[in-house]
PDB file of all heavy atoms in Angstrom:
ATOM      1  N   TRP A1379     -17.046 -25.309 -12.945  1.00  0.00           N
ATOM      2  CA  TRP A1379     -17.532 -24.029 -13.474  1.00  0.00           C
ATOM      3  C   TRP A1379     -16.413 -23.288 -14.187  1.00  0.00           C
ATOM      4  O   TRP A1379     -16.615 -22.733 -15.267  1.00  0.00           O
ATOM      5  CB  TRP A1379     -18.088 -23.188 -12.329  1.00  0.00           C
ATOM      6  CG  TRP A1379     -18.935 -22.024 -12.758  1.00  0.00           C
ATOM      7  CD1 TRP A1379     -20.295 -21.988 -12.875  1.00  0.00           C
ATOM      8  CD2 TRP A1379     -18.466 -20.719 -13.135  1.00  0.00           C
ATOM      9  NE1 TRP A1379     -20.711 -20.748 -13.299  1.00  0.00           N
ATOM     10  CE2 TRP A1379     -19.604 -19.951 -13.469  1.00  0.00           C
ATOM     11  CE3 TRP A1379     -17.207 -20.135 -13.227  1.00  0.00           C
ATOM     12  CZ2 TRP A1379     -19.516 -18.628 -13.876  1.00  0.00           C
ATOM     13  CZ3 TRP A1379     -17.110 -18.805 -13.642  1.00  0.00           C
ATOM     14  CH2 TRP A1379     -18.254 -18.075 -13.955  1.00  0.00           C
ATOM     15  N   ARG A1380     -15.224 -23.309 -13.591  1.00  0.00           N
ATOM     16  CA  ARG A1380     -14.088 -22.612 -14.191  1.00  0.00           C
ATOM     17  C   ARG A1380     -13.707 -23.226 -15.544  1.00  0.00           C
ATOM     18  O   ARG A1380     -13.467 -22.505 -16.517  1.00  0.00           O
ATOM     19  CB  ARG A1380     -12.890 -22.640 -13.237  1.00  0.00           C
ATOM     20  CG  ARG A1380     -12.999 -21.641 -12.085  1.00  0.00           C
ATOM     21  CD  ARG A1380     -11.899 -21.879 -11.048  1.00  0.00           C
ATOM     22  NE  ARG A1380     -11.755 -20.755 -10.130  1.00  0.00           N
ATOM     23  CZ  ARG A1380     -12.485 -20.562  -9.057  1.00  0.00           C
ATOM     24  NH1 ARG A1380     -13.470 -21.422  -8.757  1.00  0.00           N
ATOM     25  NH2 ARG A1380     -12.274 -19.517  -8.272  1.00  0.00           N
ATOM     26  N   THR A1381     -13.617 -24.538 -15.600  1.00  0.00           N
ATOM     27  CA  THR A1381     -13.242 -25.163 -16.873  1.00  0.00           C
ATOM     28  C   THR A1381     -14.316 -24.963 -17.941  1.00  0.00           C
ATOM     29  O   THR A1381     -14.020 -24.965 -19.136  1.00  0.00           O
ATOM     30  CB  THR A1381     -12.976 -26.667 -16.691  1.00  0.00           C
ATOM     31  OG1 THR A1381     -14.125 -27.291 -16.094  1.00  0.00           O
ATOM     32  CG2 THR A1381     -11.761 -26.901 -15.794  1.00  0.00           C
ATOM     33  N   LYS A1382     -15.565 -24.742 -17.533  1.00  0.00           N
ATOM     34  CA  LYS A1382     -16.651 -24.540 -18.491  1.00  0.00           C
ATOM     35  C   LYS A1382     -16.675 -23.117 -19.042  1.00  0.00           C
ATOM     36  O   LYS A1382     -16.897 -22.915 -20.254  1.00  0.00           O
ATOM     37  CB  LYS A1382     -17.988 -24.865 -17.836  1.00  0.00           C
ATOM     38  CG  LYS A1382     -19.179 -24.708 -18.789  1.00  0.00           C
ATOM     39  CD  LYS A1382     -20.485 -25.140 -18.128  1.00  0.00           C
ATOM     40  CE  LYS A1382     -21.664 -25.000 -19.093  1.00  0.00           C
ATOM     41  NZ  LYS A1382     -22.939 -25.443 -18.481  1.00  0.00           N
ATOM     42  N   TYR A1383     -16.416 -22.133 -18.173  1.00  0.00           N
ATOM     43  CA  TYR A1383     -16.634 -20.742 -18.581  1.00  0.00           C
ATOM     44  C   TYR A1383     -15.364 -19.916 -18.805  1.00  0.00           C
ATOM     45  O   TYR A1383     -15.448 -18.808 -19.321  1.00  0.00           O
ATOM     46  CB  TYR A1383     -17.531 -20.038 -17.564  1.00  0.00           C
ATOM     47  CG  TYR A1383     -18.958 -20.542 -17.600  1.00  0.00           C
ATOM     48  CD1 TYR A1383     -19.520 -21.187 -16.506  1.00  0.00           C
ATOM     49  CD2 TYR A1383     -19.749 -20.381 -18.745  1.00  0.00           C
ATOM     50  CE1 TYR A1383     -20.819 -21.661 -16.542  1.00  0.00           C
ATOM     51  CE2 TYR A1383     -21.049 -20.848 -18.789  1.00  0.00           C
ATOM     52  CZ  TYR A1383     -21.583 -21.491 -17.688  1.00  0.00           C
ATOM     53  OH  TYR A1383     -22.875 -21.962 -17.730  1.00  0.00           O
ATOM     54  N   TYR A1384     -14.199 -20.427 -18.394  1.00  0.00           N
ATOM     55  CA  TYR A1384     -12.977 -19.687 -18.679  1.00  0.00           C
ATOM     56  C   TYR A1384     -12.729 -19.700 -20.188  1.00  0.00           C
ATOM     57  O   TYR A1384     -12.705 -20.756 -20.827  1.00  0.00           O
ATOM     58  CB  TYR A1384     -11.782 -20.312 -17.962  1.00  0.00           C
ATOM     59  CG  TYR A1384     -11.618 -19.873 -16.516  1.00  0.00           C
ATOM     60  CD1 TYR A1384     -12.590 -19.126 -15.872  1.00  0.00           C
ATOM     61  CD2 TYR A1384     -10.484 -20.223 -15.790  1.00  0.00           C
ATOM     62  CE1 TYR A1384     -12.440 -18.729 -14.556  1.00  0.00           C
ATOM     63  CE2 TYR A1384     -10.327 -19.828 -14.467  1.00  0.00           C
ATOM     64  CZ  TYR A1384     -11.308 -19.089 -13.858  1.00  0.00           C
ATOM     65  OH  TYR A1384     -11.162 -18.708 -12.554  1.00  0.00           O
ATOM     66  N   GLU A1385     -12.540 -18.518 -20.776  1.00  0.00           N
ATOM     67  CA  GLU A1385     -12.342 -18.392 -22.216  1.00  0.00           C
ATOM     68  C   GLU A1385     -11.320 -17.297 -22.511  1.00  0.00           C
ATOM     69  O   GLU A1385     -11.100 -16.400 -21.715  1.00  0.00           O
ATOM     70  CB  GLU A1385     -13.670 -18.033 -22.914  1.00  0.00           C
ATOM     71  CG  GLU A1385     -14.764 -19.071 -22.807  1.00  0.00           C
ATOM     72  CD  GLU A1385     -14.531 -20.268 -23.699  1.00  0.00           C
ATOM     73  OE1 GLU A1385     -13.609 -20.197 -24.550  1.00  0.00           O
ATOM     74  OE2 GLU A1385     -15.252 -21.273 -23.552  1.00  0.00           O
ATOM     75  N   GLU A1386     -10.692 -17.391 -23.681  1.00  0.00           N
ATOM     76  CA  GLU A1386      -9.829 -16.308 -24.144  1.00  0.00           C
ATOM     77  C   GLU A1386     -10.678 -15.058 -24.376  1.00  0.00           C
ATOM     78  O   GLU A1386     -11.863 -15.138 -24.704  1.00  0.00           O
ATOM     79  CB  GLU A1386      -9.129 -16.696 -25.449  1.00  0.00           C
ATOM     80  CG  GLU A1386      -8.256 -17.947 -25.360  1.00  0.00           C
ATOM     81  CD  GLU A1386      -6.989 -17.724 -24.561  1.00  0.00           C
ATOM     82  OE1 GLU A1386      -6.713 -16.566 -24.185  1.00  0.00           O
ATOM     83  OE2 GLU A1386      -6.278 -18.713 -24.304  1.00  0.00           O
ATOM     84  N   SER A1387     -10.070 -13.893 -24.198  1.00  0.00           N
ATOM     85  CA  SER A1387     -10.799 -12.635 -24.390  1.00  0.00           C
ATOM     86  C   SER A1387      -9.857 -11.592 -24.968  1.00  0.00           C
ATOM     87  O   SER A1387      -8.864 -11.219 -24.338  1.00  0.00           O
ATOM     88  CB  SER A1387     -11.369 -12.133 -23.060  1.00  0.00           C
ATOM     89  OG  SER A1387     -11.835 -10.803 -23.185  1.00  0.00           O
ATOM     90  N   LYS A1388     -10.167 -11.139 -26.180  1.00  0.00           N
ATOM     91  CA  LYS A1388      -9.349 -10.099 -26.799  1.00  0.00           C
ATOM     92  C   LYS A1388      -9.433  -8.792 -26.003  1.00  0.00           C
ATOM     93  O   LYS A1388      -8.465  -8.040 -25.913  1.00  0.00           O
ATOM     94  CB  LYS A1388      -9.802  -9.870 -28.237  1.00  0.00           C
ATOM     95  CG  LYS A1388      -9.498 -11.041 -29.174  1.00  0.00           C
ATOM     96  CD  LYS A1388      -9.935 -10.729 -30.602  1.00  0.00           C
ATOM     97  CE  LYS A1388      -9.620 -11.901 -31.528  1.00  0.00           C
ATOM     98  NZ  LYS A1388     -10.041 -11.633 -32.926  1.00  0.00           N
ATOM     99  N   GLU A1389     -10.614  -8.543 -25.427  1.00  0.00           N
ATOM    100  CA  GLU A1389     -10.772  -7.316 -24.634  1.00  0.00           C
ATOM    101  C   GLU A1389      -9.898  -7.360 -23.393  1.00  0.00           C
ATOM    102  O   GLU A1389      -9.250  -6.372 -23.035  1.00  0.00           O
ATOM    103  CB  GLU A1389     -12.248  -7.133 -24.255  1.00  0.00           C
ATOM    104  CG  GLU A1389     -13.190  -6.969 -25.423  1.00  0.00           C
ATOM    105  CD  GLU A1389     -12.944  -5.683 -26.183  1.00  0.00           C
ATOM    106  OE1 GLU A1389     -12.305  -4.775 -25.617  1.00  0.00           O
ATOM    107  OE2 GLU A1389     -13.402  -5.570 -27.329  1.00  0.00           O
ATOM    108  N   ARG A1390      -9.887  -8.509 -22.702  1.00  0.00           N
ATOM    109  CA  ARG A1390      -9.059  -8.643 -21.502  1.00  0.00           C
ATOM    110  C   ARG A1390      -7.582  -8.542 -21.856  1.00  0.00           C
ATOM    111  O   ARG A1390      -6.789  -7.938 -21.118  1.00  0.00           O
ATOM    112  CB  ARG A1390      -9.346  -9.979 -20.822  1.00  0.00           C
ATOM    113  CG  ARG A1390      -8.536 -10.206 -19.539  1.00  0.00           C
ATOM    114  CD  ARG A1390      -8.913 -11.502 -18.836  1.00  0.00           C
ATOM    115  NE  ARG A1390      -8.625 -12.663 -19.660  1.00  0.00           N
ATOM    116  CZ  ARG A1390      -9.532 -13.553 -20.058  1.00  0.00           C
ATOM    117  NH1 ARG A1390     -10.796 -13.406 -19.712  1.00  0.00           N
ATOM    118  NH2 ARG A1390      -9.195 -14.584 -20.804  1.00  0.00           N
ATOM    119  N   GLU A1391      -7.182  -9.130 -22.975  1.00  0.00           N
ATOM    120  CA  GLU A1391      -5.777  -9.141 -23.375  1.00  0.00           C
ATOM    121  C   GLU A1391      -5.260  -7.752 -23.734  1.00  0.00           C
ATOM    122  O   GLU A1391      -4.053  -7.534 -23.787  1.00  0.00           O
ATOM    123  CB  GLU A1391      -5.579 -10.095 -24.558  1.00  0.00           C
ATOM    124  CG  GLU A1391      -5.721 -11.567 -24.151  1.00  0.00           C
ATOM    125  CD  GLU A1391      -5.719 -12.494 -25.360  1.00  0.00           C
ATOM    126  OE1 GLU A1391      -5.564 -11.988 -26.498  1.00  0.00           O
ATOM    127  OE2 GLU A1391      -5.867 -13.712 -25.157  1.00  0.00           O
ATOM    128  N   LYS A1392      -6.176  -6.796 -23.961  1.00  0.00           N
ATOM    129  CA  LYS A1392      -5.747  -5.416 -24.190  1.00  0.00           C
ATOM    130  C   LYS A1392      -5.142  -4.821 -22.913  1.00  0.00           C
ATOM    131  O   LYS A1392      -4.376  -3.863 -22.976  1.00  0.00           O
ATOM    132  CB  LYS A1392      -6.926  -4.555 -24.642  1.00  0.00           C
ATOM    133  CG  LYS A1392      -7.458  -4.899 -26.029  1.00  0.00           C
ATOM    134  CD  LYS A1392      -8.661  -4.031 -26.368  1.00  0.00           C
ATOM    135  CE  LYS A1392      -9.232  -4.389 -27.736  1.00  0.00           C
ATOM    136  NZ  LYS A1392     -10.441  -3.579 -28.064  1.00  0.00           N
ATOM    137  N   PHE A1393      -5.527  -5.386 -21.775  1.00  0.00           N
ATOM    138  CA  PHE A1393      -5.073  -4.838 -20.491  1.00  0.00           C
ATOM    139  C   PHE A1393      -4.012  -5.719 -19.834  1.00  0.00           C
ATOM    140  O   PHE A1393      -3.031  -5.220 -19.298  1.00  0.00           O
ATOM    141  CB  PHE A1393      -6.257  -4.665 -19.544  1.00  0.00           C
ATOM    142  CG  PHE A1393      -5.932  -3.845 -18.327  1.00  0.00           C
ATOM    143  CD1 PHE A1393      -6.038  -2.468 -18.370  1.00  0.00           C
ATOM    144  CD2 PHE A1393      -5.497  -4.447 -17.157  1.00  0.00           C
ATOM    145  CE1 PHE A1393      -5.721  -1.705 -17.263  1.00  0.00           C
ATOM    146  CE2 PHE A1393      -5.172  -3.696 -16.050  1.00  0.00           C
ATOM    147  CZ  PHE A1393      -5.286  -2.312 -16.096  1.00  0.00           C
ATOM    148  N   ILE A1394      -4.226  -7.041 -19.831  1.00  0.00           N
ATOM    149  CA  ILE A1394      -3.305  -7.946 -19.163  1.00  0.00           C
ATOM    150  C   ILE A1394      -3.249  -9.267 -19.912  1.00  0.00           C
ATOM    151  O   ILE A1394      -4.270  -9.793 -20.362  1.00  0.00           O
ATOM    152  CB  ILE A1394      -3.719  -8.182 -17.688  1.00  0.00           C
ATOM    153  CG1 ILE A1394      -2.714  -9.103 -16.982  1.00  0.00           C
ATOM    154  CG2 ILE A1394      -5.134  -8.731 -17.594  1.00  0.00           C
ATOM    155  CD1 ILE A1394      -2.963  -9.245 -15.491  1.00  0.00           C
ATOM    156  N   GLU A1395      -2.038  -9.794 -20.064  1.00  0.00           N
ATOM    157  CA  GLU A1395      -1.861 -11.092 -20.702  1.00  0.00           C
ATOM    158  C   GLU A1395      -1.808 -12.181 -19.640  1.00  0.00           C
ATOM    159  O   GLU A1395      -1.297 -11.974 -18.538  1.00  0.00           O
ATOM    160  CB  GLU A1395      -0.584 -11.105 -21.538  1.00  0.00           C
ATOM    161  CG  GLU A1395      -0.623 -10.174 -22.737  1.00  0.00           C
ATOM    162  CD  GLU A1395       0.605 -10.313 -23.613  1.00  0.00           C
ATOM    163  OE1 GLU A1395       1.414 -11.223 -23.354  1.00  0.00           O
ATOM    164  OE2 GLU A1395       0.751  -9.513 -24.554  1.00  0.00           O
ATOM    165  N   THR A1396      -2.350 -13.346 -19.975  1.00  0.00           N
ATOM    166  CA  THR A1396      -2.346 -14.472 -19.045  1.00  0.00           C
ATOM    167  C   THR A1396      -1.797 -15.700 -19.755  1.00  0.00           C
ATOM    168  O   THR A1396      -1.483 -15.671 -20.949  1.00  0.00           O
ATOM    169  CB  THR A1396      -3.768 -14.778 -18.549  1.00  0.00           C
ATOM    170  OG1 THR A1396      -4.555 -15.228 -19.670  1.00  0.00           O
ATOM    171  CG2 THR A1396      -4.425 -13.551 -17.945  1.00  0.00           C
ATOM    172  N   LEU A1397      -1.673 -16.792 -19.002  1.00  0.00           N
ATOM    173  CA  LEU A1397      -1.386 -18.079 -19.623  1.00  0.00           C
ATOM    174  C   LEU A1397      -2.475 -18.387 -20.645  1.00  0.00           C
ATOM    175  O   LEU A1397      -3.607 -17.910 -20.504  1.00  0.00           O
ATOM    176  CB  LEU A1397      -1.381 -19.185 -18.565  1.00  0.00           C
ATOM    177  CG  LEU A1397      -0.171 -19.303 -17.639  1.00  0.00           C
ATOM    178  CD1 LEU A1397      -0.487 -20.311 -16.546  1.00  0.00           C
ATOM    179  CD2 LEU A1397       1.071 -19.729 -18.396  1.00  0.00           C
TER     180      LEU A1397
END
Side-chain angles (χ1 to χ4, degrees):
W1379 195 95
R1380 283 171 165 83
T1381 55
K1382 181 176 181 179
Y1383 290 116
Y1384 276 9
E1385 297 285 350
E1386 301 289 353
S1387 168
K1388 291 182 180 180
E1389 298 294 341
R1390 181 176 63 239
E1391 289 172 2
K1392 292 178 182 178
F1393 192 87
I1394 182 173
E1395 294 185 7
T1396 65
L1397 284 171

